[in-house]
Amino acid sequence: MSDKAALSRLPDGWTGGAPDADAFHAMADAALAALPDIFKPHIRGVVVAIEEFADDETLASLGIEHPYDLTGLYEGRPLTERSIDMSGGMPDRVTLYRIPILIEWIEGGERLDWLVRHVLIHEIGHHFGFSDDDMHALEDMA
């Protein structure tokens, strides 16, 4: 692989250190922009946050023992479970956990932007009430 090709696998603005939260936001924004247009109106209010790790309470509530094991989380009510009279709740939120994603990137060798995209699309899939198979199909479309 040429040096130029290798550099194209790194996020914009990469300076040699671990990509920071801003770089993760840029990768997440690019992934959302690549979603098919039919989905975009339904994700406008979803907040995307970047955190280093999930907190102990979140991990315990999911039955996850090690913080490296959670790369992303959807919090909200899936569209398939909403009714017309529901309003006034907190916005749906997808959190990407930077350190676990970086660990997976280092261990797996996949492009970091693709890994961020994969985690984000999986969590957005929960917003739509999709099954894992549906989420794989959505990811293939993006």
Side-chain angles (χ1 to χ4, degrees):
M1 174 186 307
S2 73
D3 289 341
K4 186 175 182 178
L7 289 175
S8 70
R9 303 178 131 222
L10 299 170
D12 291 339
W14 189 71
T15 60
D20 63 11
D22 290 339
F24 268 67
H25 273 291
M27 289 182 272
D29 289 344
L32 290 174
L35 287 174
D37 289 341
I38 194 166
F39 295 107
K40 291 178 183 175
H42 306 289
I43 60 171
R44 281 197 185 113
V46 176
V47 173
V48 176
I50 311 296
E51 294 182 10
E52 295 298 290
F53 291 102
D55 60 32
D56 291 339
E57 182 180 323
T58 299
L59 293 170
S61 73
L62 297 170
I64 297 174
E65 292 185 23
H66 199 283
Y68 287 178
D69 293 337
L70 185 61
T71 55
L73 180 67
Y74 168 73
E75 297 171 283
R77 182 175 292 263
L79 296 176
T80 55
E81 296 177 13
R82 296 183 186 184
S83 67
I84 195 132
D85 61 345
M86 295 176 73
S87 66
M90 296 296 292
D92 292 308
R93 175 183 165 111
V94 168
T95 303
L96 302 177
Y97 297 109
R98 192 178 76 89
I99 301 298
I101 290 173
L102 289 173
I103 297 295
E104 189 171 324
W105 174 51
I106 291 165
E107 291 176 350
E110 188 174 353
R111 282 180 50 156
L112 181 57
D113 59 334
W114 290 358
L115 183 55
V116 169
R117 177 179 158 266
H118 171 77
V119 174
L120 179 68
I121 288 174
H122 182 89
E123 300 310 327
I124 290 289
H126 289 302
H127 172 69
F128 286 99
F130 290 164
S131 70
D132 283 341
D133 288 340
D134 292 336
M135 287 186 248
H136 291 297
L138 175 60
E139 187 172 5
D140 290 343
M141 293 169 62

